[in-house]
Amino acid sequence: MPDVAENRFVSRSPDNPTQLVIRGDWVLGHYAELRQLTKRLRNDDTPYDQADLQHIGKLDTAGGQLLTELLGSELMQTLADDADALPAERRVLLARIAASLDSEAPPPSQQGALFELLGNVGKHTVALYDHVRTLLGFAGLTLAGMAGGLLRPATWRVTSIVAQIEQIALNAVAIVALLTFMVGAVIAFLGATVLSDFGATIYTVDLIAFSFLREFAVLLTAILMAGRTASAFTAQIGSMKANEEIDAIRTLGLNPLHILVIPRVIAMIVSLPALTFIGMLSGMFGGAVVCSLALDISPTMFLTILQQNVAVQHFYLGMAKAPLFAFLIAIIGCMEGFKVSGSAESVGEHTTSAVVQSIFVVILMDALAALFFMEMNW
C-alpha cells in the first residue's frame, strides 16, 4: 500500500500488517483529500481486515461515511459494537452510517446487455407467474364464496346485485347496440365489395350471420365491458381501499369478498350474455340495412337466407363464451381494486392494468375457444 506509512490519516500497524490505524480529523473540511485516499486504498490489492479507531481526532457524518466505505459496513459495525474502542456517541454515529450503507441497493451490474436482457426476462417471467397464481387464487376464493352462497340464500345481496346489473347492463345497452350496428354495417359493405367480384353477393348474409353469432357480438361486447366495467370495478374498490373503508368492513366482522366481489361477479355474468344477445340482433340489423340499401336484398329475403343457411348452434356457441368472459372481466377488475396501495396514482395505475389485462384475456380466451370449436368441427 503506497504512502500509507507517511499518510497523516491512515497507516499500517507495525505489529499487524493487516490492521489499519486511523488518525487525524475525518471531517468535511478534509473531504476531498479523504475521498482520494479512500478510493486509492480500496483499489489497492494489499488486504486488511482490522482497524484501530482510537487515534481519530474529530469525526463528523461525512468523515464517518468515507471511513465506512474504506473499512466496509461489516467491519465498521463490528468496531462500533466494541464498547472499549470508541466513545458512545461515535459508536452510535458509525453504527447508523454502517447500517444505512449496508441497506442501500447494490451498484448496477457491469455485465453486458445480454445478461441484463436475460435478467429482465427472468424478472418479468417470475412476476407473470406470481400474477397468474394470484389471479387463480382470487378466482378460486370467489367461486368458493359463490358456491357457499347457494347453500345459504339468506346471505344473497339481491339489492346490490340488481343495482350492479342496472349500472352494467341497462346503462350500456345503447352503446353496445350502436357499436355492433355500425360494425355490422361495415362488415356488410366489405362483404359486398369482395363477394361482388365473384358474383356471390348473396352470401353477404351468411358472412354477417356467422361473424356476429360466433365471434363479433360476444367479443365486441366483452371488450366494451372490459374498458367500461372492469375499470369501474377497480376504481370503486380501489377508492374504498385507499379510504380504508375495506378495513372498516373487516372490523365489523364482514367479508369484503361477499359484499364487494360476489355481487359484481354475479351481475356481470347476468349482464354480459344479455348484452351479447342485443349485440347479435343489432349487428345483424345493421348488416340487413346495408343489404337492403346496397345489395337489393330485402329484409324478408335476408331472414329467409338466415333461416335456411345458418344453424342455431352458432348462436349457442357465441352465447356459451359470454359467461366465461364475464367472470374473467369481473375477477380481474375486482382483484386489481384490492391491489391499490392507497394513493390516487395507484388507483389510476391499477385501473389501467385492469383494462389491459381484461382485453388481453378476453381475446386470448376467444382465440382458444375458436381453435377448440374448429377442432371439434362445431
Side-chain angles (χ1 to χ4, degrees), residues 132-142:
V132 172
R133 185 177 62 177
T134 303
L135 178 61
L136 293 176
F138 190 79
L141 288 175
T142 304

Side-chain angles (χ1 to χ4, degrees), residues 20-79:
L20 296 182
V21 178
I22 311 298
R23 57 170 57 88
D25 297 335
W26 287 67
V27 293
L28 184 60
H30 301 153
Y31 186 85
E33 183 179 358
L34 291 171
R35 174 52 106 184
Q36 294 179 0
L37 173 65
T38 300
K39 183 177 180 180
R40 187 169 70 251
L41 295 182
R42 292 180 61 186
N43 294 332
D44 189 32
D45 295 333
T46 307
Y48 53 88
D49 55 9
Q50 301 181 39
D52 182 4
L53 305 182
Q54 296 183 0
H55 304 285
I56 295 180
K58 297 179 182 180
L59 180 68
D60 60 10
T61 304
Q65 180 179 353
L66 292 175
L67 188 58
T68 303
E69 293 178 1
L70 173 62
L71 301 179
S73 299
E74 184 177 355
L75 177 57
M76 181 58 70
Q77 191 68 50
T78 303
L79 296 173

